[in-house]
Amino acid sequence: VFFIVYLSDISSFSYQGKATIVAVGATPFYGGGMRLFPFARAAASVDSVNLRIARMSPLIFVPNAFGIFTGSYRSPEAALDFIGDEFFVEFTEGTHPVQHSGDPLGNRYAFRLSVAGHVRFVDFLGLPSAISHLSSTATATVDN
């Protein structure tokens, strides 16, 4: 899939090229302690997200799966990370399926990811110890 990613100002692009997956997260952890978005909340602003672009085949993914899921895998050729509060993703070769939180949104030519605002989570079971020092986070929205 060939696409272009713009930061909030669409007059300049951050990345143009092919990718296996484009994913975004407002918190570093994803169920079970998996750290899929290691740079989420790394910016001075809490209201930012980590956009991750993966450019890897299964032959690269499989032997590096542990490092990818713990957030320690680094490869400037295979995994690109961007931090911001708004991104615009444009596919240059037709439409492609888009999901938000696992729910299909249909095929799109382009979509915008932006931070919905500052929210406070309520969890009656408590936060995992690895992130217990965090009391709030930002969420991402997808606009058509």
Side-chain angles (χ1 to χ4, degrees):
V1 175
F2 194 83
F3 65 97
I4 303 171
V5 174
Y6 300 92
L7 285 169
S8 17
D9 175 12
I10 65 168
S11 63
S12 63
F13 63 88
S14 300
Y15 174 78
Q16 181 174 353
K18 293 186 176 187
T20 311
I21 190 169
V22 177
V24 66
T27 184
F29 295 96
Y30 179 88
M34 290 189 294
R35 192 177 174 106
L36 296 180
F37 304 102
F39 300 104
R41 290 198 248 170
S45 167
V46 171
D47 298 333
S48 65
V49 294
N50 181 183
L51 177 83
R52 179 162 266 204
I53 300 171
R55 304 181 308 169
M56 62 182 72
S57 70
L59 295 175
I60 295 174
F61 175 80
V62 172
N64 294 295
F66 181 78
I68 292 167
F69 289 130
T70 59
S72 61
Y73 179 76
R74 302 288 181 273
S75 172
E77 296 83 28
L80 306 172
D81 288 289
F82 299 92
I83 298 172
D85 60 0
E86 185 174 27
F87 296 97
F88 183 77
V89 179
E90 178 183 1
F91 299 109
T92 57
E93 299 172 357
T95 63
H96 296 279
V98 175
Q99 294 181 13
H100 184 292
S101 304
D103 294 330
L105 298 177
N107 290 339
R108 303 281 193 264
Y109 289 102
F111 59 93
R112 183 171 53 103
L113 299 159
S114 62
V115 176
H118 194 71
V119 298
R120 184 175 179 95
F121 286 106
V122 177
D123 185 351
F124 296 108
L125 300 176
L127 293 171
S129 61
I131 59 170
S132 62
H133 66 286
L134 304 172
S135 62
S136 63
T137 186
T139 60
T141 60
V142 176
D143 290 339
N144 297 326

